[in-house]
Amino acid sequence: MPPRSPSRPSRPRPDDVPGLPARRAALRLLDAVLRRGEPLELALHGAAQGLPREDRALTHAIAAEVLRHLPDLDALIDGATRQTLPDDAKARMVLRIALAQALRMDTPPHAAIATALPLVDGGPRKLVHGVFGTVTRSEPTLPEPPTLPQPVVTRWTEQWGAEMPQAAARAYGVRPPVDVSLRDANETAKWTDALGGASFAPGHVRLPANPAEGGVAIPDLPGFAEGAWWVQDIAASCAARLLGDGAGRSALDLCAAPGGKTMQLAAAGWRVTAVDQSKKRLERLSDNLARTGLNAQTVTADLRQWSPPAPVGAILLDAPCSATGIYRRHPDVLHRIGPRQIAELAELQAQLLARAADWLAPGGRMVYATCSLEQAEGEEQIARFLAARPDFALLPIESGELPQGMTATAPGWLRTLPDMLAEQGGADGFFIARLARQ
């Protein structure tokens, strides 16, 4: 029998290309966000299913960089093509992924294009290769701060004036700081020193830099394991602050998960019932309560069907919203949230606000909060509520009740905009109003 001739090495399958599964998952993730309007964090689970932790992290990082720099990436792509590619064209999406890696993630251009080409077939592959080469040969840089999407700029300019989107863009280009809330406000000096940070209010510490930049995981920092603190943006922490000391009285925390405000209320002495319709998110809240040694009753329920057994003296409604106020951490909101979604969420907020109002005992206080930069979800919402409910009145916020550098607006509610605490690293965008029932 003649000797068998050596077999030719088989061509690698597309998924054999190192790093390709994460890029393929990033393509699915961006499609879920930009075409179907799914939140980035929720869509990640399906898009990266089956991938190891490192590839899931890479998938998220690529998608987040594309979303953060989307208008600027598209400007580079459009400048290198004779005919504008449709927004939903796979070639455009793959080019965004490749260029984001090459220009923002220190990926060598040859590696970025090698993991991009297998994502497209046929003619578009040649187009992707040519456009990528044209762009990278010019050694471009993406502008800092990143350019905000024009529909967002137009919407915010109409509501706040031209300076606000400019401040928002500057804030977009800076990594958000990490704030923590303390279980015991009397230990503020202790933990400010231990964490090497700065405090703007009792029970608050801002870390000196984002721990991830130094390769330090949050759970490894002093005080975390023993439950001395939890991560919570300083703007978010203001809502629970405005209910003050609980002294054993009952309070409802509505739409409570993941539980930062619940823990604040429990630490302030309130007997808290935390209600949220997400069982999974309430499990996370329960884990946080266990770590900090704080107590609260948790209820899984839709507030449109649930009611408490009796009126209470305090309610905190952190209502579902567009989340445009946390765009620095979640750039997807700038691309998937528009007037239709804002209007739908404002209607839901009005329903929840009306229901919660009936659960407040006379003389009680209710705090309404949204992490939104849209007036329809804040100022306009409360104005309509007060017009419809003469038994409620705005309880103005005094400057001494807020962290350093924060001030209430003229009617007495708190609106945090991108220029607030700018020199100290900024704060999330929030609207917070405190109401009293007569």
Side-chain angles (χ1 to χ4, degrees), residues 3-267:
R4 185 181 300 172
S5 59
S7 60
R8 292 183 179 181
S10 60
R11 294 180 63 186
R13 300 192 312 272
D15 283 346
D16 288 338
V17 177
L20 183 59
R23 276 72 175 185
R24 195 178 298 282
L27 184 62
R28 291 194 294 267
L29 181 53
L30 287 166
D31 181 72
V33 172
L34 295 174
R35 191 168 64 85
R36 299 199 298 273
E38 298 179 19
L40 178 65
E41 305 299 332
L42 293 180
L44 177 63
H45 175 73
Q49 193 166 16
L51 294 184
R53 180 182 300 178
E54 295 79 8
D55 279 358
R56 285 176 61 88
L58 180 57
T59 296
H60 183 278
I62 292 172
E65 286 298 331
V66 169
L67 293 169
R68 188 172 296 277
H69 297 276
L70 191 63
D72 300 316
L73 291 169
D74 281 349
L76 291 175
I77 294 168
D78 292 339
T81 54
R82 293 181 180 177
Q83 293 185 335
T84 301
L85 296 171
D87 284 346
D88 60 352
K90 180 179 279 190
R92 179 181 288 277
M93 195 71 80
V94 171
L95 280 165
R96 290 164 171 168
I97 289 172
L99 289 170
Q101 294 172 80
L103 301 179
R104 290 294 304 172
M105 302 178 70
D106 297 325
T107 303
H110 71 271
I113 193 62
T115 52
L117 293 178
L119 300 177
V120 288
D121 299 311
R125 179 176 292 195
K126 183 176 180 181
L127 173 65
V128 167
H129 193 278
V131 172
F132 182 85
T134 299
V135 172
T136 53
R137 278 194 297 273
S138 66
E139 299 183 353
T141 57
L142 293 173
E144 287 293 346
T147 302
L148 297 176
Q150 188 55 49
V152 176
V153 173
T154 300
R155 189 173 74 238
W156 286 351
T157 299
E158 290 173 352
Q159 296 179 70
W160 306 107
E163 292 185 4
M164 184 277 200
Q166 295 172 11
R170 291 193 294 271
Y172 201 32
V174 179
R175 184 181 290 273
V178 175
D179 294 313
V180 304
S181 291
L182 304 179
R183 181 181 57 200
D184 186 350
N186 293 323
E187 295 186 341
T188 301
K190 169 187 171 180
W191 289 111
T192 300
D193 182 63
L195 294 168
S199 178
F200 305 153
H204 164 266
V205 179
R206 173 160 289 185
L207 303 188
N210 193 309
E213 294 180 343
V216 179
I218 290 287
D220 295 335
L221 292 174
F224 182 87
E226 56 264 45
W229 51 263
W230 55 91
V231 174
Q232 184 180 32
D233 187 82
I234 191 169
S237 73
C238 290
R241 287 180 182 275
L242 296 180
L243 287 180
D245 259 347
R249 293 171 292 162
S250 297
L252 296 178
D253 185 8
L254 307 178
C255 308
K261 299 175 183 69
T262 298
M263 291 185 286
Q264 280 184 281
L265 293 173

Side-chain angles (χ1 to χ4, degrees), residues 206-427:
R206 173 160 289 185
L207 303 188
N210 193 309
E213 294 180 343
V216 179
I218 290 287
D220 295 335
L221 292 174
F224 182 87
E226 56 264 45
W229 51 263
W230 55 91
V231 174
Q232 184 180 32
D233 187 82
I234 191 169
S237 73
C238 290
R241 287 180 182 275
L242 296 180
L243 287 180
D245 259 347
R249 293 171 292 162
S250 297
L252 296 178
D253 185 8
L254 307 178
C255 308
K261 299 175 183 69
T262 298
M263 291 185 286
Q264 280 184 281
L265 293 173
W270 292 96
R271 288 188 291 109
V272 188
T273 299
V275 187
D276 199 283
Q277 70 177 31
S278 171
K279 181 178 179 181
K280 185 174 182 180
R281 283 165 58 84
L282 276 178
E283 289 173 355
R284 182 180 169 192
L285 187 155
S286 296
D287 290 342
N288 285 328
L289 287 170
R291 179 176 62 83
T292 57
L294 296 167
N295 296 309
Q297 179 186 1
T298 60
V299 177
T300 305
D302 185 332
L303 295 176
R304 291 169 292 186
Q305 281 81 48
W306 180 85
S307 295
V312 296
I315 295 176
L316 197 165
L317 173 59
D318 187 3
C321 70
S322 64
T324 52
I326 55 175
Y327 73 99
R328 298 180 303 164
R329 307 174 201 273
H330 301 279
D332 56 299
V333 301
L334 297 183
H335 304 285
R336 62 179 181 81
I337 294 295
R340 178 178 61 82
Q341 292 86 353
I342 293 167
E344 290 173 353
L345 287 160
E347 177 59 31
L348 174 59
Q349 292 151 17
Q351 295 174 17
L352 298 182
L353 192 53
R355 276 186 70 79
D358 290 335
W359 305 336
L360 190 67
R365 296 182 175 190
M366 178 167 65
V367 170
Y368 168 84
T370 56
C371 56
S372 167
L373 286 166
E374 316 302 328
Q375 292 184 9
E377 300 180 278
E379 291 85 349
E380 295 173 9
Q381 188 73 259
I382 292 301
R384 283 195 302 271
F385 174 79
L386 291 173
R389 294 294 299 255
D391 55 331
F392 276 80
L394 189 68
L395 191 58
I397 300 169
E398 305 296 333
S399 59
E401 297 180 279
L402 297 174
Q404 299 170 21
M406 289 188 171
T407 55
T409 52
W413 51 52
L414 175 64
R415 163 58 77 184
T416 61
L417 290 171
D419 59 350
M420 188 169 283
L421 295 175
E423 294 183 1
Q424 292 80 26

